[in-house]
Short mmCIF file of all heavy atoms in Angstrom, two decimals:
data_model
loop_
_atom_site.label_atom_id
_atom_site.label_comp_id
_atom_site.label_asym_id
_atom_site.label_seq_id
_atom_site.Cartn_x
_atom_site.Cartn_y
_atom_site.Cartn_z
N ALA X 1 107.50 104.93 82.97
CA ALA X 1 108.15 104.76 84.27
C ALA X 1 107.12 104.56 85.38
O ALA X 1 107.34 103.75 86.30
CB ALA X 1 109.02 105.98 84.58
N LEU X 2 105.99 105.25 85.31
CA LEU X 2 104.94 105.09 86.31
C LEU X 2 104.37 103.68 86.28
O LEU X 2 104.20 103.05 87.33
CB LEU X 2 103.83 106.12 86.09
CG LEU X 2 102.63 106.01 87.03
CD1 LEU X 2 103.04 106.29 88.46
CD2 LEU X 2 101.53 106.96 86.59
N THR X 3 104.09 103.17 85.11
CA THR X 3 103.56 101.81 85.00
C THR X 3 104.58 100.80 85.49
O THR X 3 104.24 99.86 86.21
CB THR X 3 103.12 101.52 83.56
OG1 THR X 3 102.20 102.55 83.15
CG2 THR X 3 102.46 100.17 83.44
N TRP X 4 105.85 100.99 85.13
CA TRP X 4 106.91 100.11 85.62
C TRP X 4 106.99 100.17 87.15
O TRP X 4 107.12 99.14 87.81
CB TRP X 4 108.24 100.51 84.99
CG TRP X 4 109.39 99.67 85.44
CD1 TRP X 4 109.75 98.44 84.96
CD2 TRP X 4 110.35 99.99 86.45
NE1 TRP X 4 110.87 97.99 85.61
CE2 TRP X 4 111.25 98.93 86.54
CE3 TRP X 4 110.52 101.09 87.30
CZ2 TRP X 4 112.32 98.91 87.44
CZ3 TRP X 4 111.58 101.07 88.19
CH2 TRP X 4 112.46 100.00 88.24
N CYS X 5 106.89 101.36 87.71
CA CYS X 5 106.91 101.54 89.15
C CYS X 5 105.75 100.81 89.81
O CYS X 5 105.93 100.11 90.81
CB CYS X 5 106.86 103.03 89.49
SG CYS X 5 106.68 103.42 91.23
N LEU X 6 104.56 100.96 89.25
CA LEU X 6 103.38 100.33 89.82
C LEU X 6 103.46 98.81 89.77
O LEU X 6 102.98 98.13 90.68
CB LEU X 6 102.13 100.82 89.09
CG LEU X 6 101.77 102.29 89.31
CD1 LEU X 6 100.67 102.71 88.35
CD2 LEU X 6 101.36 102.53 90.75
N TYR X 7 104.09 98.25 88.73
CA TYR X 7 104.26 96.80 88.65
C TYR X 7 105.15 96.27 89.78
O TYR X 7 105.05 95.12 90.15
CB TYR X 7 104.86 96.40 87.30
CG TYR X 7 103.83 96.10 86.25
CD1 TYR X 7 103.51 97.03 85.28
CD2 TYR X 7 103.16 94.88 86.22
CE1 TYR X 7 102.56 96.78 84.32
CE2 TYR X 7 102.21 94.61 85.26
CZ TYR X 7 101.91 95.56 84.32
OH TYR X 7 100.96 95.30 83.37
N GLY X 8 105.99 97.12 90.33
CA GLY X 8 106.82 96.70 91.45
C GLY X 8 106.06 96.64 92.76
O GLY X 8 106.41 95.89 93.66
N TRP X 9 105.00 97.45 92.88
CA TRP X 9 104.27 97.55 94.14
C TRP X 9 102.92 96.85 94.14
O TRP X 9 102.42 96.45 95.19
CB TRP X 9 104.06 99.02 94.49
CG TRP X 9 105.31 99.72 94.88
CD1 TRP X 9 106.10 100.48 94.09
CD2 TRP X 9 105.94 99.71 96.16
NE1 TRP X 9 107.18 100.95 94.78
CE2 TRP X 9 107.11 100.49 96.07
CE3 TRP X 9 105.64 99.11 97.38
CZ2 TRP X 9 107.97 100.69 97.14
CZ3 TRP X 9 106.50 99.32 98.45
CH2 TRP X 9 107.63 100.09 98.33
N LEU X 10 102.28 96.77 92.97
CA LEU X 10 100.91 96.26 92.89
C LEU X 10 100.85 94.98 92.06
O LEU X 10 101.75 94.69 91.28
CB LEU X 10 100.01 97.31 92.23
CG LEU X 10 99.90 98.68 92.91
CD1 LEU X 10 99.12 99.64 92.03
CD2 LEU X 10 99.26 98.55 94.28
N PRO X 11 99.75 94.23 92.19
CA PRO X 11 99.54 93.10 91.28
C PRO X 11 99.44 93.61 89.83
O PRO X 11 99.05 94.76 89.60
CB PRO X 11 98.20 92.50 91.74
CG PRO X 11 97.98 93.01 93.11
CD PRO X 11 98.71 94.32 93.21
N PRO X 12 99.75 92.78 88.85
CA PRO X 12 99.80 93.24 87.46
C PRO X 12 98.53 93.93 86.96
O PRO X 12 98.61 94.97 86.30
CB PRO X 12 100.09 91.97 86.67
CG PRO X 12 100.79 91.09 87.63
CD PRO X 12 100.21 91.39 88.97
N ARG X 13 97.36 93.39 87.24
CA ARG X 13 96.12 94.01 86.75
C ARG X 13 95.91 95.40 87.37
O ARG X 13 95.52 96.34 86.69
CB ARG X 13 94.92 93.13 87.06
CG ARG X 13 94.76 92.00 86.11
CD ARG X 13 93.46 91.29 86.35
NE ARG X 13 93.31 90.23 85.38
CZ ARG X 13 92.40 89.31 85.45
NH1 ARG X 13 91.54 89.31 86.45
NH2 ARG X 13 92.32 88.38 84.52
N ALA X 14 96.16 95.51 88.66
CA ALA X 14 95.99 96.80 89.34
C ALA X 14 97.00 97.82 88.81
O ALA X 14 96.67 99.00 88.63
CB ALA X 14 96.15 96.64 90.85
N ALA X 15 98.21 97.38 88.54
CA ALA X 15 99.23 98.29 88.01
C ALA X 15 98.85 98.79 86.62
O ALA X 15 98.97 99.98 86.33
CB ALA X 15 100.59 97.59 87.97
N LEU X 16 98.39 97.89 85.78
CA LEU X 16 97.99 98.28 84.43
C LEU X 16 96.77 99.21 84.47
O LEU X 16 96.73 100.22 83.75
CB LEU X 16 97.68 97.03 83.60
CG LEU X 16 97.38 97.27 82.13
CD1 LEU X 16 98.59 97.92 81.45
CD2 LEU X 16 97.05 95.95 81.44
N PHE X 17 95.80 98.89 85.31
CA PHE X 17 94.61 99.73 85.44
C PHE X 17 94.98 101.13 85.93
O PHE X 17 94.53 102.14 85.40
CB PHE X 17 93.61 99.07 86.39
CG PHE X 17 92.35 99.86 86.60
CD1 PHE X 17 91.41 99.99 85.60
CD2 PHE X 17 92.13 100.50 87.81
CE1 PHE X 17 90.26 100.72 85.79
CE2 PHE X 17 90.98 101.25 88.01
CZ PHE X 17 90.05 101.36 86.99
N THR X 18 95.84 101.20 86.95
CA THR X 18 96.26 102.50 87.50
C THR X 18 97.06 103.29 86.49
O THR X 18 96.90 104.51 86.36
CB THR X 18 97.06 102.29 88.79
OG1 THR X 18 96.31 101.45 89.67
CG2 THR X 18 97.34 103.59 89.48
N GLY X 19 97.93 102.62 85.74
CA GLY X 19 98.68 103.29 84.69
C GLY X 19 97.77 103.85 83.60
O GLY X 19 97.99 104.95 83.11
N ALA X 20 96.73 103.08 83.25
CA ALA X 20 95.78 103.56 82.23
C ALA X 20 95.00 104.77 82.73
O ALA X 20 94.77 105.72 81.97
CB ALA X 20 94.82 102.43 81.86
N ILE X 21 94.61 104.76 83.99
CA ILE X 21 93.91 105.93 84.56
C ILE X 21 94.83 107.15 84.54
O ILE X 21 94.39 108.26 84.25
CB ILE X 21 93.41 105.62 85.98
CG1 ILE X 21 92.24 104.65 85.90
CG2 ILE X 21 93.02 106.89 86.72
CD1 ILE X 21 91.70 104.21 87.23
N ALA X 22 96.11 106.94 84.84
CA ALA X 22 97.06 108.06 84.82
C ALA X 22 97.17 108.65 83.42
O ALA X 22 97.19 109.87 83.25
CB ALA X 22 98.43 107.60 85.31
N VAL X 23 97.22 107.78 82.40
CA VAL X 23 97.31 108.28 81.02
C VAL X 23 96.10 109.13 80.69
O VAL X 23 96.23 110.23 80.13
CB VAL X 23 97.44 107.10 80.03
CG1 VAL X 23 97.26 107.57 78.60
CG2 VAL X 23 98.78 106.40 80.19
N ILE X 24 94.93 108.67 81.05
CA ILE X 24 93.70 109.39 80.73
C ILE X 24 93.63 110.72 81.48
O ILE X 24 93.29 111.76 80.91
CB ILE X 24 92.46 108.52 81.06
CG1 ILE X 24 92.42 107.31 80.11
CG2 ILE X 24 91.18 109.34 80.97
CD1 ILE X 24 91.45 106.24 80.54
#
């Protein structure tokens, strides 16, 4: 849900990077 949320607000690369940092 966080990654899906970030894709709505950020460019795709930034959303994926931020989602990966959250997982870690």
Side-chain angles (χ1 to χ4, degrees):
L2 177 65
T3 305
W4 180 82
C5 173
L6 292 170
Y7 269 100
W9 290 97
L10 301 173
R13 281 188 178 169
L16 186 61
F17 179 71
T18 308
I21 288 177
V23 169
I24 293 166

